Amino acid sequence: VSPSLAAAIMNGKYVNAVPLYRLEKEFERYGLSITRQNMANWMIRLGEEYLGIMYDYLHQLMYDYHVIQADETPVLVHRDGRPAGSKSYMWVYRTGFMYKDRQIVLYEYQKTRNASHPRTFLKDYAGICVTDGYQVYHTVEKELEDLTIAGCWVHCRRKFDEAQTVVPKGHRKEAMSYLIMKQIQAIYREEGCLSELSSEDRLRQRQSVVKPLVDAFFAYLHQNTDKVPGSGKLREAFTYALNQEKYLKVFLNDGDVPMDNNASERAIRGFCIGKKNWEMIDTINGATSSAIIYSIAETAKANDLKPYEYFNHLLTELPQHTEDKNRDFLANLLPWSEKLPEYIRKPKGADQK
């Protein structure tokens, strides 16, 4: 398969969420007989043989970042040796959102959602990882001396928003959840003013302006927890926030740590949109290669590259280095390399979506 054809298929499926059976029909309209099975086999082979080399290189580079972010989403894999309908997971790790340049987004397929996966992925990492409240990350933090977990304020806010929706409409402004939502809104408002500051200046402002609001928020929760019914949405929200207090305060002490994990959720959105169209992945090899190709696609997008052009460039260049024992050539293929042809980059001012 030629680099341009493979790149077109990758761009269709992994960027534009077009299932292979639709691409097969599209090729038929042009008189081309390319079956979905052929395309699936090409994706597996090219992902493993070529793009996997860049994936492993990006994985090593990710360890150099002081802040990263992580999330996961379920996926069905048809033939994975388990009963039909068994959930697998696509994990996503990305460099911290506060780093505007040289962003890396990596997907990883795993059969389960247990702690062994982030433990392995993060075993050589020293820094801060922003996550939701999922317990496995906290388990891994206790095991890895150099890892710090930071919490997600969006998840915290979501819990109180759910509590607010069960309050009768006429009484919502009198509800405790309403007051708490206003407090979180005030924290976000002040944090939003700091987005263009340097890390050092952002930290100073967080300490002087944001920290008092966060401290007041948790003081209010501690003072009022006994007034909340023992069950229901408000109790769930209180429990979540108080259990996460340590993690939700991490961003106050580091200007590079975002206060939520929205960037990870955005990074996994392309996969979730595609998942609705193709519903399941056929094999474990297919899931593994999909993780690699999605990683290259999302990393390209995060660095304002045109994914098709980047795929085409990698699939042209990487096969020329299969015998190389030295991997230094990969630096010239990175999304931010000055050696990349200019046509791969999106024009300045182009739509950033």
Side-chain angles (χ1 to χ4, degrees):
V1 61
S2 69
S4 59
L5 177 56
I9 295 167
M10 289 176 179
N11 192 64
K13 179 174 180 181
Y14 299 98
V15 178
N16 295 323
V18 181
L20 293 183
Y21 75 86
R22 287 194 201 158
L23 290 175
E24 181 181 356
K25 294 293 183 188
E26 185 67 16
F27 285 129
E28 279 180 11
R29 292 187 189 102
Y30 290 88
L32 299 171
S33 178
I34 304 175
T35 68
R36 68 194 80 173
Q37 190 57 56
N38 274 343
M39 289 186 274
N41 290 338
W42 291 340
M43 296 303 100
I44 291 170
R45 182 174 66 82
L46 295 172
E48 290 176 353
E49 288 185 19
Y50 301 125
L51 298 184
I53 298 169
M54 178 57 78
Y55 177 97
D56 291 341
Y57 187 55
L58 290 169
H59 188 177
Q60 288 302 313
L61 291 179
M62 184 175 273
Y63 291 146
D64 295 336
Y65 290 74
H66 173 55
V67 180
I68 63 174
Q69 301 177 231
D71 200 6
E72 71 290 325
T73 189
V75 61
L76 293 177
V77 176
H78 179 48
R79 289 182 284 175
D80 68 355
R82 296 182 296 170
S86 298
K87 274 186 184 178
S88 296
Y89 285 85
M90 199 65 85
W91 299 69
V92 65
Y93 302 87
R94 61 154 297 142
T95 50
F97 179 65
M98 296 296 187
Y99 305 128
K100 301 300 184 187
D101 302 315
R102 304 191 173 201
Q103 297 191 41
I104 299 172
V105 180
L106 296 180
Y107 283 68
E108 184 186 46
Y109 163 74
Q110 294 291 352
K111 272 189 177 182
T112 68
R113 200 184 177 210
N114 67 44
S116 64
H117 309 312
R119 181 185 298 124
T120 301
F121 195 92
L122 299 171
K123 69 181 188 314
D124 296 321
Y125 179 66
I128 298 170
C129 182
V130 184
T131 74
D132 58 21
Y134 187 35
Q135 184 58 41
V136 301
Y137 297 110
H138 305 149
T139 301
V140 173
E141 180 189 38
K142 291 170 186 170
E143 299 168 356
L144 301 179
E145 185 179 347
D146 296 323
L147 176 66
T148 299
I149 296 297
C152 173
W153 277 87
V154 160
H155 280 78
C156 180
R157 179 173 63 184
R158 203 172 285 159
K159 297 288 184 184
F160 285 104
D161 187 50
E162 290 169 2
Q164 180 75 347
T165 58
V166 300
V167 176
K169 281 189 176 178
H171 298 280
R172 285 185 181 172
K173 289 194 174 181
E174 307 153 21
M176 190 183 294
S177 53
Y178 178 80
L179 177 58
I180 292 170
M181 289 284 287
K182 285 293 183 184
Q183 288 180 278
I184 297 174
Q185 186 180 347
I187 295 168
Y188 262 99
R189 185 168 55 246
E190 294 301 331
E191 174 66 19
C193 298
L194 314 181
S195 61
E196 300 303 317
L197 299 183
S198 68
S199 176
E200 295 77 12
D201 289 342
R202 187 182 301 115
L203 176 58
R204 278 194 288 272
Q205 287 298 105
R206 280 176 171 176
Q207 286 288 310
S208 63
V209 179
V210 181
K211 186 176 184 295
L213 296 175
V214 172
D215 289 342
F217 169 80
F218 281 108
Y220 181 85
L221 295 188
H222 284 290
Q223 290 164 8
N224 288 278
T225 186
D226 291 339
K227 301 174 187 175
V228 178
S231 61
K233 291 292 185 182
L234 187 58
R235 170 50 62 193
E236 288 177 17
F238 262 73
T239 301
Y240 179 90
L242 292 172
N243 285 345
Q244 295 292 309
E245 181 174 0
K246 166 190 168 184
Y247 308 105
L248 290 170
K249 286 183 172 180
V250 170
F251 84 103
L252 295 171
N253 298 310
D254 193 312
D256 287 332
V257 178
M259 69 177 288
D260 60 44
N261 202 28
N262 267 0
S264 284
E265 294 192 1
R266 285 195 300 273
I268 213 165
R269 191 173 296 153
F271 174 80
C272 293
I273 292 169
K275 184 172 65 172
K276 288 179 183 175
N277 291 339
W278 39 255
E279 295 181 353
M280 69 169 64
I281 299 172
D282 192 42
T283 65
I284 290 175
N285 284 343
T288 302
S289 64
S290 288
I292 291 170
I293 300 169
Y294 270 114
S295 299
I296 302 300
E298 291 298 327
T299 297
K301 287 159 61 178
N303 289 282
D304 290 332
L305 301 186
K306 302 171 187 173
Y308 167 78
E309 301 290 3
Y310 190 51
F311 280 133
N312 193 17
H313 185 63
L314 291 180
L315 294 172
T316 300
E317 295 295 322
L318 288 168
Q320 299 177 33
H321 296 275
T322 51
E323 302 301 319
D324 291 17
K325 290 195 170 78
N326 189 317
R327 296 299 193 198
D328 290 351
F329 72 90
L330 289 169
N332 293 335
L333 300 177
L334 289 168
W336 49 84
S337 169
E338 294 180 358
K339 300 285 180 67
L340 275 191
E342 196 58 34
Y343 67 83
I344 296 176
R345 304 183 197 285
K346 287 170 63 175
K348 298 289 185 188
D351 185 5
Q352 298 296 305
K353 289 182 183 177

